[in-house]
Amino acid sequence: MLNPSVRFSPSNIATLKKALRGQYPNIKSSHLDEAIAASFGFKSYAAMRPVLYQLGAYARLVVVVDHLLLLLRLEELGYSGIAPESLRRLVWSVEFPDDRYDDDVEQMVRMRRRPTAANAD
């Protein structure tokens, strides 16, 4: 199963949390922080926070948002009955403000992925 990958940044995490709060308003804010950290593979929000804020503006750490890890952490915190498929759809639908690549890097990636023309030498 594919999971979305996003740039690891405070604004992307805040956007994900806002989307989750909109869909699941009964979940406490601190529990969402813990579940989001778990979805990135961290043991806790406290473990994720220093890594997040040590990154500079130019660092490009891309992480995978694993909705099943998010769901498991929420279940550990006492939130049952969340459908995995609806959570997966929500995570995929989030419009993250920080792109994975800056403009220059994205151009290089696109050029690299462009197939060679059939009539090229």
Side-chain angles (χ1 to χ4, degrees):
M1 177 178 301
L2 295 175
N3 292 309
S5 56
V6 299
R7 190 172 187 171
F8 189 59
S9 70
S11 58
N12 281 350
I13 291 172
T15 300
L16 176 58
K17 184 175 179 178
K18 183 177 179 180
L20 289 166
R21 297 249 336 144
Q23 185 73 24
Y24 305 104
N26 61 315
I27 299 175
K28 290 181 180 181
S29 178
S30 61
H31 290 170
L32 281 176
D33 289 337
E34 291 295 323
I36 289 169
S39 76
F40 297 145
F42 289 93
K43 294 277 186 195
S44 67
Y45 179 72
M48 180 186 78
R49 191 171 164 82
V51 175
L52 180 63
Y53 290 103
Q54 285 177 356
L55 294 175
Y58 298 103
R60 289 185 190 92
L61 180 60
V62 176
V63 293
V64 173
V65 183
D66 190 328
H67 73 283
L68 293 176
L69 292 176
L70 192 143
L71 181 65
L72 287 172
R73 185 67 178 124
L74 287 174
E75 287 177 353
E76 288 173 355
L77 294 168
Y79 301 96
S80 60
I82 298 173
E85 186 58 29
S86 65
L87 185 59
R88 185 185 72 79
R89 273 189 254 120
L90 174 65
V91 170
W92 272 102
S93 69
V94 174
E95 298 272 339
F96 292 100
D98 290 342
D99 293 330
R100 289 180 62 193
Y101 303 113
D102 293 335
D103 293 334
D104 295 337
V105 174
E106 185 157 348
Q107 277 294 80
M108 288 187 278
V109 169
R110 283 188 185 174
M111 292 300 292
R112 187 125 171 111
R113 289 186 177 170
R114 185 175 292 161
T116 305
N119 60 353
D121 291 326

